[in-house]
Amino acid sequence: MVIRGKIPGTTEVTTIEIDGGTIRSVGDGTGVDLGGDDVWVAPTIFDVQVNGVGGINYKGKDLTVEKIVETTEWMYKTGTGMWCPTVTTSSAEDAINGLKLLAQSCQESDAAAASFAGFHVEGPYIASEDGPRGAHPLEHTRDPDWDEFCRYQEAAEGRIRIFTLAPERDGALEFIEKVAETGVIVSIGHSGATPERIQEAIRAGAKMSTHLGNGAHAMLPRHPNYIWEQLAADGLWAGMIPDGFHLPEPVLKCFYRAKGKDRICLVSDVASIAGLAPGVYGKEGGLGKSELHANGKISLAGTPYLAGASLFLDSGIANVVRFTDASLADAMDMVTCNPARLLGIDDRIGTVEAGKEASLTLFRWEEGQEKLDIVATVVRGEVVYRM
Ligand SMILES: [Zn+2]
């Protein structure tokens, strides 16, 4: 297959020759199958925080391999060809069931195997306090438990790659050390930790902040506080939700400038009801009732708390370009090569060059647009979505 288009950060139209699942060459070519002079071609959008989509949550009793595979169709429509299915706070039984089925889906489905870059477990070792806990169910928040983590990782067949916790929980620092030693990325999130505790967590091996600025108190001391501390910590990557609701425009702009393009991964944090029609949805995944608003905002019904997001990164990329001084190429880096570097898989994905996996997103874009117009999604050389 030959794809024609412009790679973000370049000005010339180029051709990308694909052989099997791999990019064979980037340069001039003929016999174009996809794309065109007005099409951009980027490494596929890679989202490290996806809780579910299309009414399917990646945990719980009614989850099946078929449903998990169905989520790939939903994500491909948004130009996202790679992501980390995220299992949020729940009973050990529900989480283990979800992780087992996710691992099984990687064995049984080529789409899942190609698109799941590893699993993200967010909670249950997070703050119990209202505010930092966000929409996670209080009854399942608890202190870190190494044996339980091992059971999770076993159920996941070793595929857990990111683990979000609150470092102020009892035993968290020892736990972070042990988890970090296994190569899993420990991320600070849903935490009300003191700045000192944030530093201790970094020394213990924490490498990331989960959706920085969210899963936080509504009121904080102006300084010092855990947001400034994490924002200033050069050793921490930051996940950020650019949907326009989780971080107001000036906050996103300041976070972007302070953290710097090279240490940010934009995440959608989409909840399972993303993709559905606006309305109030029931106890999906134990999160309580959620209200999906027409503008894409999701709140915990009857509260001001956000309960996940519904806008995908095709919107998020456009927001970052509109709200900050990031170029399209900068914004694309934050959803392609950055997550690849974070997970240590940048030798095979994240850039358009010979030898890399042919997982690409084709789109049209003009400055000021609210979302990218996805033209096609290609995963390992196969066109999995076409407009
Ligand atoms: Zn969260």
Side-chain angles (χ1 to χ4, degrees):
M1 179 166 55
V2 179
I3 291 175
R4 186 168 166 83
K6 276 184 292 185
I7 299 170
T10 70
T11 50
E12 300 296 310
V13 174
T14 186
T15 50
I16 298 151
E17 267 188 276
I18 294 172
D19 191 2
T22 309
I23 297 171
R24 190 204 296 161
S25 68
V26 179
D28 294 330
T30 51
V32 175
D33 300 301
L34 260 186
D37 289 1
D38 61 339
V39 170
W40 293 93
V41 186
T44 197
I45 297 173
F46 179 1
D47 187 343
V48 300
Q49 196 164 2
V50 175
N51 305 294
V53 59
I56 300 159
N57 196 314
Y58 288 130
K59 66 175 185 190
K61 290 175 184 67
D62 52 356
L63 187 64
T64 61
V65 167
E66 292 68 34
K67 284 186 180 176
I68 291 171
V69 174
E70 199 186 315
T71 66
T72 62
E73 305 289 327
W74 285 93
M75 296 303 291
Y76 294 159
K77 281 191 265 183
T78 73
T80 306
M82 195 167 245
W83 62 99
C84 294
T86 301
V87 176
T88 53
T89 301
S90 61
S91 67
E93 194 192 350
D94 278 0
I96 284 172
N97 183 50
L99 291 165
K100 266 190 189 155
L101 290 168
L102 283 167
Q104 198 184 330
S105 67
C106 292
Q107 305 282 3
E108 294 178 10
S109 153
D110 288 344
S115 293
F116 295 173
F119 311 147
H120 182 163
V121 174
E122 188 191 23
Y125 315 140
I126 57 163
S128 299
E129 209 183 330
D130 281 352
R133 194 183 70 251
H136 290 233
L138 173 63
E139 67 269 31
H140 293 306
T141 58
R142 49 195 185 266
D143 288 333
D145 178 338
W146 171 252
D147 291 335
E148 186 175 61
F149 169 79
C150 293
R151 288 200 298 281
Y152 278 28
Q153 191 58 293
E154 196 187 337
E157 295 174 6
R159 288 185 162 91
I160 297 170
R161 297 290 298 117
I162 304 176
F163 195 93
T164 294
L165 53 65
E168 69 271 29
R169 299 259 10 172
D170 280 350
L173 297 178
E174 298 76 6
F175 180 84
I176 291 170
E177 263 177 38
K178 280 171 132 172
V179 172
E181 254 170 43
T182 70
V184 171
I185 295 144
V186 176
S187 190
I188 299 169
H190 291 277
S191 162
T194 60
E196 293 72 26
R197 194 68 163 189
I198 298 288
Q199 288 301 331
E200 286 172 331
I202 295 168
R203 284 196 293 277
K207 288 272 183 299
M208 184 184 178
S209 303
T210 291
H211 50 55
L212 186 62
N214 297 110
H217 291 90
M219 297 285 279
L220 277 177
R222 70 199 189 291
H223 47 69
N225 65 47
Y226 51 77
I227 294 179
W228 286 116
E229 197 68 31
Q230 291 180 77
L231 195 54
D234 291 339
L236 291 179
W237 287 79
M240 293 182 193
I241 307 172
D243 66 352
F245 304 116
H246 283 74
L247 299 174
E249 183 174 333
V251 177
L252 186 69
K253 183 174 176 178
C254 292
F255 277 17
Y256 168 72
R257 288 193 181 166
K259 188 52 82 166
K261 187 206 75 170
D262 294 334
R263 281 188 298 265
I264 296 172
C265 292
L266 302 176
V267 301
S268 69
D269 196 19
V270 280
S272 58
I273 58 176
L276 302 181
V280 175
Y281 291 90
K283 285 214 162 247
E284 191 84 43
L287 280 176
K289 285 197 189 226
S290 302
E291 183 167 6
L292 173 57
H293 303 259
N295 61 3
K297 190 173 182 173
I298 297 179
S299 58
L300 196 58
T303 79
Y305 292 115
L306 291 168
S310 81
L311 297 181
F312 297 89
L313 288 177
D314 54 344
S315 301
I317 293 161
N319 283 343
V320 167
V321 175
R322 290 186 303 131
F323 297 169
T324 76
D325 42 15
S327 65
L328 175 64
D330 294 335
M332 290 309 299
D333 282 353
M334 292 186 271
V335 297
T336 56
C337 58
N338 285 8
R341 281 167 47 225
L342 171 69
L343 266 70
I345 52 175
D346 50 325
D347 56 335
R348 63 179 180 89
I349 60 150
T351 44
V352 180
E353 48 183 340
K356 292 281 173 84
E357 258 179 36
S359 292
L360 305 166
T361 297
L362 283 70
F363 61 93
R364 287 195 177 85
W365 160 256
E366 279 172 41
E367 289 287 333
Q369 244 175 258
E370 301 223 334
K371 63 194 279 289
L372 311 188
D373 294 328
I374 302 299
V375 170
T377 307
V378 178
V379 172
R380 288 192 185 159
E382 215 180 296
V383 182
V384 291
Y385 169 75
R386 197 164 180 177
M387 188 181 65

